[in-house]
Amino acid sequence: MSKLSSELLDKAVDDILAFSAGQDITVNGETKNGKKRNFTETIEAQITLKNYDPVRDKRFSGTFKLPTVPRPKMKCCVLGNAAHCEQADRIGVDHMSVEDLKKLNKNKKLVKKLAKRYDFFLASDNMIKQIPRLLGPGLTKAGKFPTLLASGDDMQEKIDEVKSTIKFQMKKVMCLNVAVANVEMDKQHIIVNTQLAANFLVSLLKKQWQNIGVIYIKSTMGPAIQIYF
């Protein structure tokens, strides 16, 4: 059961969309001058936990597929066998073969550069086991170890699935940030994605909503607007 106020969320999303369209909005009694940017702003949920001890309490981690892709512009690279490289070529996705990876020669700088260039990687099933041997730990360190692309998978579907998936992972801090939408999305889709993301995080917590302190949502360049107190 979601404890998010649909009224507050509705108003917050209206304000975020108005601000990103260049209109002025009022946040906590203060006027904020909106500005239209020349890129698509991401909408992020910022959540602070309470009654939670990151040292003593069990760490949690979970992934959830949102119904609408929050960051459609995420860049993917397929580390593929011949068939997958051919398929990637057809749908206009960057790809690298075993030979291409061998050329990097486990050079830390080059692997780091590769990890920086893309948001995520997919790898053919017969290649995923070879990645540590070919590239060393670079992709893992960057938190970008490839997602498995099985031979029967539809590549475009798999790419969209990764783009739609959000991850909550408890580290040593009490704040969690996750991209839930973007300002080009339909208002209702933004609301649904935000509600589902919050409900999923709550389901990972021991005391559920009692572990949630506050929730804000904000666009990349916009002010943070509180939707849960």
Side-chain angles (χ1 to χ4, degrees), residues 169-188:
Q169 190 170 17
M170 186 61 201
K171 297 201 172 142
K172 286 176 185 163
V173 289
M174 299 281 278
C175 300
L176 297 157
N177 294 353
V178 67
V180 290
N182 67 71
V183 297
E184 299 288 317
M185 273 165 63
D186 178 72
K187 177 186 169 182
Q188 200 47 42

Side-chain angles (χ1 to χ4, degrees), residues 105-173:
N105 208 9
K106 269 192 182 174
N107 179 313
K108 282 182 185 172
K109 273 188 180 167
L110 293 177
V111 175
K112 203 173 177 180
K113 214 172 169 182
L114 173 70
K116 242 182 164 170
R117 200 180 314 147
Y118 298 99
D119 295 299
F120 67 98
F121 296 87
L122 295 180
S124 307
D125 33 16
N126 58 343
M127 267 183 77
I128 207 156
K129 297 184 188 82
Q130 301 181 57
I131 304 283
R133 189 169 56 80
L134 291 167
L135 298 177
L139 293 186
T140 310
K141 277 184 180 168
K144 291 181 184 176
F145 191 78
T147 299
L148 174 67
L149 180 66
S151 49
D153 286 343
D154 177 305
M155 191 180 284
Q156 190 58 60
E157 265 179 33
K158 196 74 181 175
I159 288 170
D160 290 342
E161 185 185 309
V162 176
K163 285 181 179 179
S164 309
T165 303
I166 55 168
K167 183 176 186 178
F168 285 111
Q169 190 170 17
M170 186 61 201
K171 297 201 172 142
K172 286 176 185 163
V173 289

Side-chain angles (χ1 to χ4, degrees), residues 25-40:
I25 61 168
T26 305
V27 180
N28 300 331
E30 212 179 302
T31 301
K32 305 276 182 188
N33 306 113
K35 186 178 177 184
K36 191 161 174 50
R37 308 286 166 174
N38 55 4
F39 67 94
T40 301

Side-chain angles (χ1 to χ4, degrees), residues 78-94:
V78 174
L79 310 178
N81 54 29
H84 277 150
C85 283
E86 204 179 300
Q87 210 182 330
D89 218 28
R90 278 203 305 273
I91 60 170
V93 172
D94 289 358

